[in-house]
Amino acid sequence: MTMRAPLTDLPIMFADTGYVVSTLPVLTQISLTIGAGTPTILIGPNGSGKTTLLRLAMGLASPSSGRVTWNGRTEVPPTRRAIMFQRPAMLRRSAAGNVRYALAAAGVPRADRDECTADLLARVGLDALRDRPARRLSGGEQQRLALARALARNPEVLFLDEPTASLDPAATKAIEDVIRTVAASGIKVVMATHDLGEARRLAGEIVLLHRGRVVETGPAASFFAAPHTEEARKFIAGELLV
Ligand SMILES: Nc1ncnc2c1ncn2[C@@H]1O[C@H](COP(=O)(O)OP(=O)(O)O)[C@@H](O)[C@H]1O
Ligand SMILES: [Mg+2]
């Protein structure tokens, strides 16, 4: 008899989690539950710990103190999770070649890869550019290709680290449209951004980080309409959080 695969990695729970580099605290006393449902958007100024929190939630880094658990388990291989980093590196291949490589890495049988590649490129709106060298694509197209590669793992949870940073409005909209479709398809999206407008457009749940601490969490509607903390009020008002 074979072991049945675990049904879900959710919720992902941080319990009094700390992360220290050398002696520098990067994350401090994080208590947070990331459950199924609408996108969870991590916001906060540069250096507030967003990327580090995503890496811990993905399982790429281990906490220095406290725990991270996936549906109650502490050791969970990231087969059902995918992450898209802020500056994804494109392989020196076509757009389709990049996706096919990701499918192979995800263990998709060779016979299924062409069809899956076509599906994934269509999902991110790159079907017409399938044969274009990936490194010749525009910044926004490369980000969408990176999304397709992440989706090749057929993840339950998709972590996105500032996927629209440095993109123009049209390219940003194209990425956000894909993210909305992905979320609507039932994939849990967990995304870091320092762009408040983007957070408003996509959340879900908001998690505000400041100096490595979670200072406020809540549904986007109440977070923006009636923030509880001074930090959240300042951040929403566009004041610099230092
Ligand atoms: N491996 C590391 N070595 C040194 N400093 C780090 C490391 N990882 C994170 N930091 C520091 O921790 C803080 C938070 O980083 P990060 O998680 O990247 O924040 P954000 O993504 O919100 O900008 C920053 O001050 C960063 O320089
Ligand atoms: Mg970051």
Side-chain angles (χ1 to χ4, degrees), residues 22-147:
S22 320
T23 59
L24 181 78
V26 173
L27 291 173
T28 305
Q29 290 180 333
I30 304 290
S31 290
L32 180 66
T33 299
I34 299 172
T38 52
T40 296
I41 310 290
L42 310 176
I43 58 176
N46 283 327
S48 56
K50 302 182 296 296
T51 296
T52 306
L53 197 153
L54 288 178
R55 289 172 51 82
L56 286 166
M58 177 69 187
L60 293 175
S62 299
S64 313
S65 58
R67 291 197 306 163
V68 178
T69 56
W70 293 269
N71 193 20
R73 291 160 297 145
T74 50
E75 297 290 335
V76 181
T79 50
R80 309 225 49 213
R81 306 190 293 278
I83 188 164
M84 179 176 145
F85 293 108
Q86 205 168 344
R87 274 174 245 292
M90 297 294 124
L91 298 176
R92 199 181 294 281
R93 305 173 183 218
S94 67
N98 269 265
V99 174
R100 214 176 282 116
Y101 184 89
L103 287 165
V108 173
R110 188 178 291 273
D112 298 335
R113 285 182 210 156
D114 281 349
E115 193 184 340
C116 289
T117 299
D119 284 350
L120 287 163
L121 288 171
R123 262 168 105 178
V124 300
L126 289 178
D127 12 10
L129 299 176
R130 52 168 298 121
D131 297 321
R132 184 82 58 89
R135 293 181 182 185
R136 300 259 176 76
L137 296 171
S138 71
E141 289 160 356
Q142 290 195 15
Q143 293 297 85
R144 277 187 281 148
L145 184 54
L147 259 173

Side-chain angles (χ1 to χ4, degrees), residues 118-189:
D119 284 350
L120 287 163
L121 288 171
R123 262 168 105 178
V124 300
L126 289 178
D127 12 10
L129 299 176
R130 52 168 298 121
D131 297 321
R132 184 82 58 89
R135 293 181 182 185
R136 300 259 176 76
L137 296 171
S138 71
E141 289 160 356
Q142 290 195 15
Q143 293 297 85
R144 277 187 281 148
L145 184 54
L147 259 173
R149 292 191 313 196
L151 292 169
R153 298 167 64 104
N154 191 23
E156 175 189 25
V157 189
L158 177 63
F159 298 101
L160 303 168
D161 196 0
E162 309 218 16
T164 65
S166 75
L167 296 182
D168 67 22
T172 297
K173 179 170 188 310
I175 298 267
E176 289 184 3
D177 287 347
V178 175
I179 293 170
R180 257 188 291 273
T181 309
V182 164
S185 78
I187 295 171
K188 173 68 189 189
V189 169

